[in-house]
Amino acid sequence: MSAKKTTTRRRRTWMFAGILGLLVLVGGSWVGAHFAAGDQVPTNATVEGVAIGGLSPSAAEQKLKDELDPKYASAITVAGDSDVSVTLDPLESGLALDYAAAVRSAGGGASWNPVDIWRTFTGGTDAELPKLVDQAQLSSVLEADADAFSSDATDATLAYVDGAIARTDGTPATQLDVPATTTAVAAVFEQGGTEAAAVVKETPPSVTTAMVDDAVKAYAEPAISGPITITSTDGSFEITPEQVAAVTTFAAEGDSLTPQTDAEKLMELTAKAQSGLKLAVTKDASYTMTGGAITVVPAVDGSTIDPEALASAMASAAVKTGDERTASVEVTKKPADFTTAQAEKLKPTEVIGEFTTKFPYAAYRNTNLSKAASSVNGTVLLPDEVFSLNETLGERTAKNGYVDGYVINGGVLVKEPGGGISQSSTTLFNAAFFAGYEDVEHKPHSLYFNRYPAGREATIYYGKLDMRFRNNTEYPAYIQGYVSKASSGNPGSITFKIWSNRTWDKVESTELVKSDYYTGSTRTLKGPKCEPQAPIQGFSVSWKRLFYKGGAVAKSEDWFWKYSAGDRIVCE
């Protein structure tokens, strides 16, 4: 081997040894630096302003938690446009803080990367604190509180009240938009805020304020701007603004409010004014008593206007102004409901119910009972019609021809106009009872008077108690009533007869069975209106109404009444 080759080999050996030595030196320094740095956070590292440099990752996490938890754990208020709001605990509602990730982002944790090792000793910056959002959990929490932000829609309204326009505005239905509110709450949490705006969806009502605005302008205002003239071939009459308002309502149809007219009510309110059309009055056939027999009073056909046609005419003129507020209607024939032919066919032929009661002489009885009998006399009661004695007699006042007489008030006899009228009620009730008619309303006296059949009688008091019965047969009836006046020493009587055609062979009452007698007490009263009163015994009474057909009882009704005991009244 030459000297030159030997020298070259030696140089390479020394060069390799040098490099190896340098590597050992650098490696030793690197390992030393790694173990010196350990897993501590870089010296100048902070997270949202909290210094964590030089701390181990676990210590850094705990420091961040101690200092930042109070900021992010504060309750978040979710507030709507009104005073409605709810609060939630963010860290219990799917929102979380990732302190470990923040520490890692700041450089915490052991590393062999020389850059990381160098930064541990010399560097570090402010790192972000990651916020985690569990969308499903946060949405579930908000969904549980959604009702607080929900409300039903309120329709706008339009009506006439006391002849004037009355209206209210509508309000939309509200509902919490949970996905949008979830996003809003998450954004506030990330910024460390404590109040988020609830996102609410609105649904308009069925009747909106705009719909009312349109209806007011298009119809409600012009409709009551003045009277409306209705004409026919023979005359005319006016519908007043007050009457227009009284028969008009508004209903939603699609996206608008439409006026509705109550045609029957319009006919009723304008009935008197319609005389201006010179309509012929329709009269049903009726009956009268002639020579002790029932005869037919012929029907009279009249004329009328159609209610719907009148309503349509009014509505068409209501939107016009001035002299144009007029419309015409056609007059049509109005036949009688109960024709002459029907009346002849169904003419009453015999008395099917009759009753008479007597009364002692008293001028007020002669007057009041005669007045009652004459008011009822001649009444025609068609099938299914209900007779009302109060409606037939009217209020018992001096103006109406009644005088003071005794009535029962609070268990005591007192004087009032129309006293004694209950005798006419009792007498007519019994006539209807034996005619087999349906009892609609009646009430026996609270105290018993022996001039009446026990239980089978009826008191009456205007505005409070009535005596009513229904003609529940297929035949019309004619009611005949008359009085034989009492005189000094001679009793009087009142009689009612119901003429018709028989449905039942006969109607009877069983014996009136009295039981459970008892007595009242003695009372002393003061005052100029006090009337002494003898004691009246109380008891119960029961009986049956029997309906005969084909010689046998076809139907039976049970009846019962309990009379109060009348106290002995002493006057001071």
Side-chain angles (χ1 to χ4, degrees):
M1 182 180 296
S2 66
K4 185 177 181 179
K5 289 182 178 180
T6 299
T7 301
T8 300
R9 181 180 294 169
R10 286 177 178 171
R11 286 177 180 173
R12 288 176 178 171
T13 299
W14 282 107
M15 184 181 296
F16 177 76
I19 292 172
L20 181 61
L22 178 61
L23 288 175
V24 171
L25 177 62
V26 171
S29 299
W30 179 28
V31 170
H34 167 76
F35 285 106
D39 61 354
Q40 68 183 12
V41 178
T43 301
N44 299 320
T46 61
V47 175
E48 293 197 4
V50 178
I52 56 173
L55 300 177
S56 67
S58 60
E61 286 183 34
Q62 187 61 49
K63 184 175 182 182
L64 290 175
K65 184 176 180 62
D66 291 343
E67 296 196 26
L68 295 180
D69 255 10
K71 174 182 177 181
Y72 288 101
S74 297
I76 295 177
T77 299
V78 183
D81 291 338
S82 61
D83 294 334
V84 178
S85 64
V86 297
T87 58
L88 53 84
D89 183 339
L91 301 185
E92 297 293 332
S93 305
L95 301 172
L97 302 167
D98 195 344
Y99 293 121
V103 171
R104 288 195 299 273
S105 178
S111 174
W112 290 99
N113 188 325
V115 175
D116 292 338
I117 294 173
W118 177 256
R119 189 173 62 180
T120 297
F121 292 109
T122 64
T125 60
D126 188 50
E128 290 187 2
L129 173 60
K131 285 86 174 178
L132 306 178
V133 179
D134 185 331
Q135 294 280 344
Q137 185 179 350
L138 179 55
S139 294
S140 177
V141 171
L142 290 171
E143 188 71 52
D145 290 324
D147 285 348
F149 301 94
S150 299
S151 65
D152 294 331
T154 302
D155 284 341
T157 63
L158 175 60
Y160 291 112
V161 177
D162 296 330
I165 295 173
R167 56 169 295 169
T168 62
D169 291 338
T171 57
T174 59
Q175 183 179 19
L176 185 68
D177 187 336
V178 174
T181 304
T182 298
T183 300
V185 171
V188 167
F189 176 70
E190 289 196 5
Q191 296 166 7
T194 58
E195 185 167 332
V199 182
V200 176
K201 296 184 291 186
E202 293 187 347
T203 304
S206 299
V207 181
T208 65
T209 300
M211 290 166 63
V212 170
D213 290 340
D214 292 342
V216 167
K217 183 178 180 180
Y219 193 91
E221 286 181 341
I224 58 173
S225 62
I228 295 171
T229 301
I230 302 296
T231 64
S232 71
T233 53
D234 295 323
S236 66
F237 74 95
E238 283 190 348
I239 302 175
T240 67
E242 291 76 18
Q243 290 170 337
V244 173
V247 300
T248 303
T249 55
F250 296 87
E253 292 185 359
D255 58 356
S256 63
L257 277 182
T258 304
Q260 310 285 326
T261 303
D262 187 332
E264 294 300 329
K265 188 174 183 180
L266 179 60
M267 287 289 288
E268 179 185 339
L269 292 181
T270 60
K272 186 175 181 179
Q274 287 176 31
S275 61
L277 297 180
K278 298 180 175 60
L279 301 174
V281 178
T282 302
K283 294 182 180 179
D284 285 338
S286 188
Y287 301 103
T288 189
M289 181 74 69
T290 304
I294 302 294
T295 59
V296 173
V297 178
V300 177
D301 290 340
S303 56
T304 188
I305 55 176
D306 179 67
E308 294 298 334
L310 176 61
S312 178
M314 185 203 79
S316 66
V319 295
K320 299 177 181 178
T321 59
D323 295 338
E324 295 182 350
R325 292 176 67 80
T326 183
S328 63
V329 291
E330 181 184 1
V331 174
T332 58
K333 183 180 179 180
K334 183 182 180 183
D337 291 328
F338 189 49
T339 67
T340 303
Q342 291 173 316
E344 288 287 359
K345 181 180 179 180
L346 300 173
K347 183 173 67 175
T349 58
E350 61 179 310
V351 176
I352 65 168
E354 176 181 359
F355 206 74
T356 299
T357 59
K358 295 183 177 181
F359 57 89
Y361 173 73
Y364 78 87
R365 287 187 180 278
N366 280 337
T367 299
N368 292 340
L369 292 179
S370 295
K371 175 70 176 176
S374 64
S375 296
V376 173
N377 187 51
T379 298
V380 174
L381 194 65
L382 297 178
D384 204 43
E385 284 187 342
V386 173
F387 173 87
S388 164
L389 188 56
N390 268 337
E391 289 180 6
T392 303
L393 302 186
E395 189 171 2
R396 271 71 78 187
T397 63
K399 183 179 179 180
N400 289 336
Y402 292 94
V403 297
D404 283 355
Y406 288 105
V407 299
I408 301 174
N409 193 334
V412 178
L413 290 172
V414 296
K415 278 190 174 182
E416 289 184 8
I421 286 298
S422 287
Q423 182 155 0
S424 66
S425 178
T426 291
T427 309
L428 183 53
F429 168 78
N430 275 272
F433 179 93
F434 289 111
Y437 287 163
E438 177 189 343
D439 175 37
V440 175
E441 178 187 356
H442 94 284
K443 180 181 180 297
H445 289 84
S446 56
L447 302 175
Y448 177 62
F449 300 96
N450 59 15
R451 61 178 171 271
Y452 304 139
R456 222 176 53 225
E457 40 102 12
T459 185
I460 188 171
Y461 199 90
Y462 191 81
K464 294 183 179 179
L465 295 174
D466 199 359
M467 193 278 292
R468 298 185 295 153
F469 56 85
R470 185 190 311 276
N471 177 359
N472 57 341
T473 74
E474 58 183 304
Y475 304 107
Y478 177 89
I479 304 176
Q480 181 185 13
Y482 55 88
V483 165
S484 175
K485 291 186 177 182
S487 60
S488 181
N490 295 304
S493 66
I494 179 171
T495 299
F496 285 107
K497 296 180 180 180
I498 297 177
W499 293 71
S500 189
N501 296 286
R502 291 196 177 276
T503 298
W504 305 99
D505 295 344
K506 62 178 178 178
V507 178
E508 292 183 343
S509 172
T510 61
E511 179 185 355
L512 306 175
V513 180
K514 301 176 184 178
S515 62
D516 302 326
Y517 288 91
Y518 67 106
T519 58
S521 59
T522 298
R523 286 191 288 162
T524 301
L525 302 180
K526 297 180 180 180
K529 291 187 177 182
C530 178
E531 295 278 350
Q533 180 177 303
I536 301 174
Q537 198 169 34
F539 61 90
S540 297
V541 59
S542 60
W543 70 101
K544 295 178 182 291
R545 179 161 65 158
L546 306 178
F547 299 77
Y548 287 85
K549 196 80 170 177
V553 175
K555 186 172 73 167
S556 174
E557 294 176 348
D558 294 321
W559 296 64
F560 173 85
W561 184 251
K562 182 177 181 178
Y563 285 104
S564 301
D567 296 337
R568 177 173 178 264
I569 303 298
V570 177
C571 297
E572 285 189 356

